[in-house]
Amino acid sequence: MIDVTINVSLADVSSYLPGEPISAEYFTQFHDTADTASAVMFNPPRFRHHVSAGETPADMAERAIAPMLARHGADLLENVDVLVVHTQLPQTWFVGNGGEIAARLGIAPEWLIDLSNGGCASFIHAIKLAREILQSTEANSALVVNVTNTAGQVFAQDRVLTMAQAAIPGDGAGVAWLTKSDQSPILDIETRHLPQYAGEMVLVAEPPRRYWEAGVGQHYVGFTESNIAKVLHRGNQIVPEVVRTICERIKMKTSQLDLLVTNQPNRTFLQNWRNSLELPAQRHPDTFEECGNLFGSAMPLTFDYAVTSGLVQEGAVVMFAGFAHAGDFAAAAALRWGGRVSSRGASC
């Protein structure tokens, strides 16, 4: 039975961006923009980052957690009993990259979970799982790791590179540390699975083949104008819905939120979400222009940016929110930020 009297806090976040920024011109030289749903969805950011050749998910996770370990010391890892990992493009066949990441960090957690679903909202999905384990077991702390690594491996293929969709993704990684404490307590979480949309985002190749079959065609996401329009409509609706649900339960108006941290799919979603929730741009941090669509890594990386930049003050109510794929999952989580502290309890 879950002990809801145990507060679970998001104690810290850290992140990593690989390589040098890659400008939009690297992609837009190959195609024109037009007033279509595709143009709205794939209007490119100024920059993004790509994984280096041979850079593994474990490499990225290790580099993402490094700033956190520098603040708290390597002893942080000794009490990690829960590791939840979402890797966008797993490179370890069958088992995912959670085990490889645990080995790289030198930990052997009792709970090691590789998430295959949750996509751009997997950060919240992972936090919910970690929180429930911490509240219902003797586990001490948890790490949530998000690795995004398709931009430099899938979307940089020479035939895919010429498509509008290739200009949007970026690569990066984010890590969150959860503890049993009241330092930055998680106030509430809402998750919604919408499985009727799960099959709408598909991987295709020309000539057609399944992803594990040998062949000459390069895989890419099979968007059409009609399904892009549906995704835009769903995303504009379901993210504000889950935020409002949380706000009703914690008894505050959406306009009173101190910070909204979302996934960063494109400019249109970002603007529509904050308009719908009656929030000014300065309370909705935007990393899209510098990082592109970081999918599952966007929330921890954007929050790390907000904290490091001084955009979030102690006592602030922070709302994380986003949706995944074609709309098969949406989630929101609220916390009261207590400030980034060192392992000795002093402000960093």
Side-chain angles (χ1 to χ4, degrees):
M1 183 176 179
I2 295 173
D3 186 351
V4 294
T5 65
I6 297 175
N7 276 330
V8 173
S9 289
L10 196 166
D12 203 356
V13 289
S14 58
S15 58
Y16 163 70
L17 289 169
E20 295 297 320
I22 298 170
S23 70
E25 288 72 26
Y26 180 73
F27 303 92
T28 56
Q29 61 180 309
F30 298 112
H31 56 81
D32 296 322
T33 57
D35 187 17
T36 63
S38 179
V40 172
M41 180 73 88
F42 303 132
N43 190 0
R46 293 173 60 241
F47 300 103
R48 79 283 296 134
H49 295 251
H50 283 180
V51 294
S52 303
E55 189 170 25
T56 70
D59 293 333
M60 296 178 71
E62 186 176 33
R63 290 160 187 163
I65 200 174
M68 188 185 296
L69 297 182
R71 287 190 287 271
H72 301 278
D75 291 349
L76 177 156
L77 297 172
E78 294 179 2
N79 291 316
V80 173
D81 303 303
V82 183
L83 176 64
V84 186
V85 175
H86 180 272
T87 306
Q88 189 183 35
L89 184 64
Q91 294 184 0
T92 304
W93 198 25
F94 285 136
V95 299
N97 289 107
E100 181 188 11
I101 289 171
R104 183 68 64 86
L105 299 179
I107 62 176
E110 178 181 359
W111 300 84
L112 201 168
I113 302 169
D114 267 287
L115 286 182
S116 295
N117 65 330
C120 296
S122 58
F123 181 66
I124 302 173
H125 190 10
I127 284 177
K128 182 175 183 177
L129 289 171
R131 183 183 70 154
E132 300 216 0
I133 293 169
L134 290 174
Q135 287 180 327
S136 60
T137 73
E138 296 301 313
N140 294 295
S141 68
L143 288 178
V144 168
V145 178
N146 281 89
V147 175
T148 303
N149 59 341
T150 60
Q153 299 187 101
V154 174
F155 293 96
Q157 298 175 100
D158 58 358
R159 297 182 189 177
V160 182
L161 187 64
T162 63
M163 300 178 180
Q165 64 181 257
I168 293 295
D171 291 328
V175 177
W177 178 35
L178 278 67
T179 61
K180 290 180 176 178
S181 76
D182 58 3
Q183 173 63 28
S184 296
I186 298 167
L187 304 176
D188 205 350
I189 302 176
E190 173 77 5
T191 57
R192 296 182 186 178
H193 292 276
L194 303 163
Q196 64 269 33
Y197 306 131
E200 291 192 14
M201 185 166 287
V202 296
L203 199 65
V204 299
E206 297 173 2
R209 64 182 176 89
R210 290 172 287 191
Y211 74 88
W212 64 86
E213 295 178 322
V216 297
Q218 296 176 353
H219 283 101
Y220 58 94
V221 182
F223 286 115
T224 64
E225 283 297 309
S226 62
N227 69 16
I228 288 174
K230 291 176 183 177
V231 171
L232 287 169
H233 176 70
R234 286 175 199 146
N236 284 330
Q237 284 190 321
I238 59 180
V239 172
E241 283 177 6
V242 289
V243 170
R244 290 190 184 99
T245 297
I246 293 283
C247 284
E248 288 174 7
R249 293 205 293 253
I250 65 174
K251 302 187 185 309
M252 69 184 306
K253 297 178 180 179
T254 62
S255 59
Q256 295 174 315
L257 293 170
D258 296 297
L259 204 74
L260 173 67
V261 179
T262 63
N263 62 308
Q264 305 274 307
N266 58 50
R267 296 182 187 89
T268 299
F269 277 131
L270 295 176
Q271 180 176 342
N272 289 347
W273 290 338
R274 59 178 172 260
N275 288 347
S276 178
L277 297 170
E278 301 180 89
L279 287 168
Q282 59 266 32
R283 281 193 264 158
H284 184 202
D286 180 352
T287 56
F288 177 74
E289 292 299 342
E290 304 303 318
C291 304
N293 184 355
L294 285 170
F295 302 93
S297 299
M299 288 188 216
L301 185 142
T302 302
F303 188 56
D304 184 27
Y305 159 76
V307 173
T308 302
S309 303
L311 299 179
V312 51
Q313 304 301 312
E314 293 184 19
V317 175
V318 180
M319 182 73 73
F320 295 93
F323 80 107
H325 310 125
D328 64 345
F329 180 68
L335 64 85
R336 188 175 298 280
W337 180 242
R340 175 176 272 161
V341 296
S342 73
S343 57
R344 293 182 295 276
S347 296
C348 292

